[in-house]
Amino acid sequence: MAAKGTVDLRFDDSLETVLTADMSTPFGAQTAWRQLVDLIGRGRAPASEMAMARLRSIRPQVPSPIRAASARALAFARPPAPLVRLFAEEDLAIAAPVLRMADLRSDEWISMLQEMTPAARSVLRHRRDLPAEVGRALESYGPIDFILPAALPGVSPLNA
């Protein structure tokens, strides 16, 4: 506890510790994934470019059930926009818990809409707590979001 009139500065090196850990094994990558998502998602570490790049680089080594569990664990946290964007890149089964609960500013949501799949945008369409500007931005995608992938020219149902 800091004395009256002084500032209590503590350096949290948790992020540095995780980023320097061995991620070359499946266990190391999975452990780092969980720790990074938790630290960033709960505001204990910044969503720095380096941290987000590390998450993207180890993601292929982390099985989808672990990534989905990480997403569910963020349900009542306040993940920052870069982490929400990372999860929005995932299959809907992984992305949905984060997209249903994330609390971002309008400009943050709007900036990532174009990168989202129609299915991910549909999760946002069902939210009633988003600002009106986000609703209008979602409306701008119009009927294209409601077409089944097999009905799009040049898209086979197998690779949709």
Side-chain angles (χ1 to χ4, degrees):
M1 178 173 253
K4 187 175 181 177
T6 65
V7 177
D8 186 15
L9 296 176
R10 295 176 196 219
F11 178 71
D12 184 354
D13 63 350
S14 302
L15 179 62
E16 188 68 30
T17 301
V18 175
L19 291 175
T20 58
D22 179 16
M23 298 179 208
S24 63
T25 66
F27 177 77
Q30 292 169 29
T31 301
W33 173 272
R34 287 181 175 130
Q35 291 173 338
L36 284 171
V37 168
D38 184 64
L39 287 169
I40 295 167
R42 298 187 188 290
R44 292 185 46 221
S48 68
E49 287 184 33
M50 184 172 51
M52 300 313 298
R54 184 64 54 95
L55 282 169
R56 282 189 172 83
S57 74
I58 63 175
R59 178 170 39 193
Q61 299 169 271
V62 180
S64 58
I66 291 174
R67 296 193 322 269
S70 295
R72 289 189 304 273
L74 292 174
F76 295 103
R78 290 185 49 99
L83 190 59
V84 173
R85 184 181 302 268
L86 178 88
F87 276 100
E89 298 167 0
E90 294 274 5
D91 291 332
L92 192 57
I94 296 170
V98 174
L99 295 175
R100 282 188 200 117
M101 299 297 289
D103 183 21
L104 303 178
R105 295 186 324 261
S106 296
D107 61 316
E108 292 171 322
W109 281 122
I110 292 168
S111 73
M112 69 177 79
L113 288 178
Q114 184 175 350
E115 300 163 14
M116 289 183 177
T117 64
R121 287 192 296 265
S122 75
V123 171
L124 298 182
R125 278 190 171 82
H126 287 91
R127 290 186 55 173
R128 300 295 170 240
D129 63 329
L130 295 177
E133 308 88 79
V134 177
R136 285 190 296 276
L138 285 165
E139 288 172 10
S140 73
Y141 288 90
I144 192 71
D145 271 4
F146 302 103
I147 298 173
L148 295 175
L152 294 172
V155 177
S156 105
L158 298 177
N159 65 7

